[in-house]
């Protein structure tokens, strides 16, 4: 979809609700990630928090 929109991964933001599924996929594609409603979810050691 990014190619269709002519957007580079570093220009995109992926918003998801799953650290396991959404975070890993976004970061693997080089896209910044925002966790939605993740109050009860804890980042694992290899997942780094980045405040934009």
């Amino acid at each position: 979809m990014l190619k269709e929109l002519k957007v580079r991964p570093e220009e995109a933001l992926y918003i998801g609700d799953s650290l396991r599924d959404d975070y890993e996929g976004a970061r693997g594609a080089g896209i910044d990630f925002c966790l939605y409603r993740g109050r009860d979810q804890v980042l694992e050691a290899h997942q780094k928090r980045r405040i934009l």
Side-chain angles (χ1 to χ4, degrees), residues 19-21 23-24 41-49:
L19 287 175
R20 188 191 65 197
D21 299 325
Y23 173 87
E24 298 298 336
Q41 295 180 359
V42 178
L43 292 175
E44 295 179 21
H46 69 281
Q47 298 169 323
K48 54 183 192 173
R49 169 182 256 167

Side-chain angles (χ1 to χ4, degrees), residues 15-39:
I15 300 171
D17 62 356
S18 170
L19 287 175
R20 188 191 65 197
D21 299 325
D22 299 326
Y23 173 87
E24 298 298 336
R27 298 305 297 152
I31 301 171
D32 284 327
F33 175 78
C34 176
L35 181 64
Y36 176 72
R37 292 184 50 89
R39 288 184 218 140

